[in-house]
Amino acid sequence: ASTEQSLGGEDFSWMLQQVPGALARLGVRTPGQKCPDIHQPTFVVDEHCIAIGLKVLAEVATTGPTRSSVTPR
């Protein structure tokens, strides 16, 4: 999916230079609706995204990384 550029993971990317890991973004905006900044009191999450996020995390937790996806440090 196409998204705007964001520096939201810049600190996490530094951590990934030290240890293996991954960062994923979960869209929480209702399609077609405006979405205020996450740090605003008017921010509202479309709770339908929670089930999708849980499915992704469960898949990652139960399958783990493949041997070829882990780069030795």
Side-chain angles (χ1 to χ4, degrees):
S2 177
T3 61
E4 292 182 32
Q5 291 293 327
S6 168
L7 298 176
E10 66 185 50
D11 293 336
F12 192 75
S13 67
W14 181 84
M15 291 177 58
L16 293 179
Q17 293 176 10
Q18 309 303 313
V19 295
L23 173 69
R25 295 186 139 232
L26 177 63
V28 297
R29 176 181 62 86
T30 302
Q33 300 293 317
K34 285 188 171 186
C35 187
D37 184 75
I38 192 169
H39 300 290
Q40 300 299 316
T42 55
F43 179 74
V44 177
V45 172
D46 181 349
E47 293 184 358
H48 290 97
C49 72
I50 295 171
I52 296 168
L54 288 172
K55 287 178 185 177
V56 170
L57 291 174
E59 181 72 19
V60 170
T62 57
T63 62
T66 61
R67 196 175 285 256
S68 64
S69 68
V70 178
T71 305
R73 302 227 178 237

